[in-house]
Amino acid sequence: MTNGRIRKEGDVEYRFTHPDDFREHVRDRKGRAPVPKLVTAKEAVAAFVSDGDYIVYDFSSLTRGPQSLIREVIRQRKKDLWIGAEFTLHESPLLVGAGCATRIDVGFLGYGNYIGQAVCDGRVRTYEWTNGGLALRILAGARGVPFLPTRDLLGSDNMNVSAAKTIKDPYTGDPICLVPALNPDVAFLHVHQADVLGNARIFGTNLFALEAALASFRVIVSAEEIVESDEFRKDPMRTTVPYFLVDAVVHAPFGAYPGAMPARYEIDLEHVDRLNAIRTEDQMGKYIEENIDSVADHEEFLDRRVGAKRMQELRRRATIIEGYR
Amino acid sequence: MARTVEFTDTEFMIAQGARLIEDGKTIFVGWGIPQVVAMLAQKLYVPNVTQLFEFGAIGPQSVLPFVRGTMGGPQNTYRSLQWLNMNWAFSYSATGYMDYGMLGALQVDPYGNINSTFLGGTFRKPERRFAGSGGGNQVASHCWKTIIVIKHEGRRFVPNVDFLTSPGYLDGPGARERAGLPRGTGPYRVVTSKALFGFDERSRKMTLLSVLRGLSVDEVVKEMAFRPLLAPEIGEIPPPTDDELRVLREEIDPARFIIRGEKMSAIG
């Protein structure tokens, strides 16, 4: 199911949803009742991610990224996905390499030769919104307005390969850039703590965690740790996302692996180097087979491909704890 | 005392970049080499500079060594004044609080326009595709003075960029303001592995200011696909100091992932 619709202007396609259509989705389809939503990654992805969906994620490939959810999307071979790509080094090459993603709003395309070559070969179409432009589109989606103005993108070629527009600002009379609201089909957030209802806490910085949760049709939270609901009411300043925005909660210790989870575990640089080194279809195929297809789920991946000793070592290396509580 | 210093082109580029940062100011730092420049500057020269990153770290004091590729990890956000997110981070630059921005680039043209998107061919059928803007477009649009850090290679200095990812002076004086970009902003310096450039106040064209000690102006200019303006007096930039090299090699990048490059030498 693809919510909203794809608009086309010349060579440029973009996702756009009328704010009232999104509001009606929120009225009719988003539950307000505090009910347990704890499911497996397999169940969450099967239920809430469909072929053709637009997905966004927070934070980065190397820090607090929803890597176990991305691997599950690949395992289920979702098709024709459109990614809003920021701080993504490996997710975009993996999703394109597995045949899951066909369009990318950039952001930051990804790292290494594989994804660059895929663009050159025409296997994936890109549109250039820039990081700030995409974040603002998601903020517009989160504010329930059809667009927001900004004083960047102007004068750049990104304007020609996105649907950003220049108009005369009615207040200053100067040219101003508008970017359309983005309401992704699905947002993936990997968090430090969540309760079974979907209340979630991130410690540290983020890209647009709350904005993406507000703007997206469906929200899947994966959490290192499941905590009691009362914890949130004891310290509300630390709530990143309240439960009623969230559709599914997945308990995913080491869910950011091979990236780091601040104050929990460090990056596995050796594994990251293997991802960085992927250049050919053969290498991509081998990586996906070994790390995704040949294991049933995240737990089996950790058990058989990472191992307790490695995880213990990565935990030991996470010595910076100030600020992350 | 004169003696020969040996270093890589990358080390020189990082060191001279670090010397440009002003203490007591704010700087919006881009991904990659600019992160390393900011670390070196903070360690040696500017303890009171406030660094800002697009992922929402306001004023971090990075833990060394640099974990390559990371942005937003616990090392890069250590001892920040504030932790936020991207929309708030760009609010600090959009309102004029960012004195400097610092960015890498694939290509740069005489007006300081930056390409970080693709090389050769067309947008739909590029010969080589790269990561794109990231937050570079916002940094180059909003910050008062943008510093571009780029290897001194001919294919990178071109009359016209293949794709204008992040704005310099566009096509000349007044063009930024006509496009609607914030008044009084624009590229300030181009730091390369051989030289330092500024921009002429009137024409807004890239101007050679100084070269690495021992290099001639011709040696620097012949490697560029356009001819820059020349300052009335071309200065001389000393090679990396012992302190700069020690901090880079021992504290920031002991694995030498970032600082490796072409070997150079100059009289210290």
Side-chain angles (χ1 to χ4, degrees):
Chain A
M1 174 185 58
T2 297
N3 295 291
R5 66 192 179 91
I6 297 173
R7 290 201 171 179
K8 207 163 161 53
E9 288 174 13
D11 194 32
V12 173
E13 297 168 296
Y14 66 105
R15 277 290 305 268
F16 186 76
T17 304
H18 193 292
D20 280 338
D21 293 339
F22 187 76
R23 287 174 54 85
E24 286 172 6
H25 169 86
V26 168
R27 182 188 64 195
D28 300 336
R29 306 285 295 273
K30 298 286 280 195
R32 313 289 196 276
V35 295
K37 295 165 192 156
L38 195 59
V39 293
T40 65
K42 196 179 290 290
E43 291 166 334
V45 169
F48 296 111
V49 185
S50 303
D51 292 350
D53 273 356
Y54 191 111
I55 64 172
V56 293
Y57 36 83
D58 190 283
F59 177 27
S60 92
S61 304
L62 300 184
T63 307
R64 200 179 48 72
Q67 307 304 352
S68 60
L69 292 177
I70 297 285
R71 284 189 289 266
E72 184 57 34
V73 167
I74 292 170
R75 197 172 283 117
Q76 296 190 20
R77 289 298 191 284
K78 298 295 181 185
K79 291 278 181 280
D80 203 22
L81 300 178
W82 192 334
I83 326 170
E86 288 200 16
F87 278 63
T88 187
L89 304 180
H90 310 123
E91 295 87 343
S92 49
L94 285 172
L95 286 165
V96 169
C100 299
T102 51
R103 295 183 185 90
I104 301 180
D105 282 342
V106 180
F108 187 94
L109 176 67
Y111 184 80
N113 291 69
Y114 185 90
I115 189 68
Q117 193 59 48
V119 175
C120 295
D121 295 344
R123 293 170 52 207
V124 57
R125 289 176 70 84
T126 67
Y127 303 101
E128 308 298 310
W129 292 95
T130 77
N131 276 0
L134 265 183
L136 195 68
R137 289 189 66 192
I138 296 169
L139 179 61
R143 290 300 313 271
V145 294
F147 62 86
L148 279 172
T150 186
R151 297 184 75 200
D152 39 57
L153 289 161
L154 294 155
S156 78
D157 286 338
N158 303 292
M159 300 294 294
N160 309 323
V161 287
S162 70
K165 298 180 193 304
T166 308
I167 63 152
K168 185 179 170 185
D169 163 18
Y171 297 100
T172 63
D174 297 336
I176 187 105
C177 175
L178 305 183
V179 294
L182 176 59
N183 294 103
D185 292 301
V186 193
F188 294 155
L189 306 179
H190 187 62
V191 305
H192 285 82
Q193 297 177 333
D195 68 5
V196 297
L197 309 178
N199 291 303
R201 279 176 178 162
I202 288 168
F203 304 146
T205 64
N206 67 94
L207 296 180
F208 34 57
L210 177 58
E211 296 99 304
L214 277 161
S216 296
F217 285 86
R218 298 177 296 280
V219 178
I220 303 177
V221 163
S222 60
E224 291 289 328
E225 185 187 358
I226 302 294
V227 299
E228 292 298 322
S229 294
D230 204 43
E231 289 300 310
F232 291 87
R233 298 196 184 273
K234 285 181 192 165
D235 198 354
M237 273 294 285
R238 290 161 66 204
T239 305
T240 309
V241 171
Y243 77 91
F244 53 88
L245 305 181
V246 174
D247 296 276
V249 179
V250 176
H251 185 204
F254 271 85
Y257 180 92
M261 193 71 184
R264 297 294 188 272
Y265 48 87
E266 258 302 328
I267 303 174
D268 187 343
L269 278 173
E270 282 170 39
H271 193 106
V272 165
D273 279 341
R274 290 188 51 204
L275 281 162
N276 288 343
I278 294 174
R279 299 173 86 91
T280 64
E281 294 308 322
D282 188 46
Q283 291 165 332
M284 178 60 82
K286 277 187 181 139
Y287 180 88
I288 291 174
E289 169 60 24
E290 183 183 336
N291 294 285
I292 302 174
D293 289 345
S294 68
V295 287
D297 52 27
H298 180 57
E299 290 68 28
E300 192 179 323
F301 169 70
L302 293 180
D303 187 39
R304 293 182 47 199
R305 299 286 180 263
V306 185
K309 197 174 155 200
R310 187 87 189 140
M311 287 191 279
Q312 192 180 6
E313 170 62 18
L314 296 173
R315 265 193 223 102
R316 193 188 59 76
R317 286 188 205 162
T319 52
I320 299 172
I321 54 168
E322 288 115 301
Y324 306 103
R325 318 170 281 143
Chain B
M1 195 172 57
R3 64 190 170 84
T4 302
V5 184
E6 295 192 336
F7 50 93
T8 69
D9 57 349
T10 317
E11 287 171 332
F12 172 66
M13 181 170 75
I14 294 167
Q16 70 144 330
R19 297 171 199 161
L20 282 182
I21 298 177
E22 255 187 289
D23 206 16
K25 299 284 186 182
T26 51
I27 182 164
F28 207 126
V29 183
W31 186 69
I33 293 278
Q35 290 173 277
V36 178
V37 173
M39 283 174 194
L40 181 64
Q42 180 131 24
K43 185 84 190 172
L44 287 180
Y45 302 125
V46 287
N48 300 310
V49 79
T50 298
Q51 299 177 29
L52 192 140
F53 293 84
E54 61 180 307
F55 53 80
I58 316 298
Q61 298 172 339
S62 290
V63 175
L64 307 182
F66 177 54
V67 185
R68 63 202 150 87
T70 55
M71 233 198 161
Q75 294 83 3
N76 326 128
T77 56
Y78 189 59
R79 286 180 59 78
S80 293
L81 294 169
Q82 188 181 30
W83 281 342
L84 292 167
N85 62 19
M86 185 171 282
N87 281 308
W88 280 119
F90 286 130
S91 302
Y92 285 84
S93 55
T95 50
Y97 279 98
M98 289 295 113
D99 299 310
Y100 293 95
M102 191 165 41
L103 296 172
L106 281 176
Q107 272 186 333
V108 64
D109 75 9
Y111 291 114
N113 297 307
I114 293 173
N115 173 20
S116 40
T117 303
F118 75 87
L119 293 178
T122 62
F123 176 74
R124 277 287 157 237
K125 202 97 188 80
E127 281 166 23
R128 292 187 71 194
R129 171 69 211 225
F130 298 85
S133 163
N137 179 277
Q138 281 69 42
V139 173
S141 296
H142 298 169
C143 296
W144 291 109
K145 295 173 174 178
T146 300
I147 298 170
I148 301 163
V149 184
I150 185 169
K151 283 262 179 127
H152 201 94
E153 298 165 340
R155 60 193 173 88
R156 293 179 179 271
F157 290 83
V158 292
N160 293 289
V161 287
D162 292 348
F163 187 90
L164 201 166
T165 311
S166 303
Y169 291 108
L170 301 177
D171 59 3
R176 283 175 72 92
E177 288 78 6
R178 282 194 295 279
L181 292 166
R183 190 166 61 217
T185 56
Y188 167 66
R189 291 287 184 267
V190 180
V191 172
T192 83
S193 44
K194 294 191 171 166
L196 177 68
F197 299 83
F199 290 86
D200 179 60
E201 288 273 327
R202 267 180 299 175
S203 68
R204 295 303 195 189
K205 283 191 175 165
M206 201 184 291
T207 306
L208 181 64
L209 299 179
S210 42
V211 300
L212 170 63
R213 180 178 295 159
L215 291 180
S216 69
V217 168
D218 279 352
E219 281 173 296
V220 166
V221 170
K222 77 174 183 208
E223 290 190 48
M224 302 166 69
F226 64 83
R227 197 169 167 81
L229 303 180
L230 303 180
E233 274 185 56
I234 304 292
E236 176 190 86
I237 314 169
T241 65
D242 290 347
D243 273 350
E244 287 166 346
L245 291 175
R246 180 184 53 75
V247 171
L248 277 173
R249 292 170 184 177
E250 293 173 20
E251 298 184 39
I252 295 177
D253 187 24
R256 311 230 174 155
F257 282 108
I258 317 288
I259 61 177
R260 60 188 161 194
E262 193 187 318
K263 288 197 164 52
M264 303 176 92
S265 64
I267 304 300

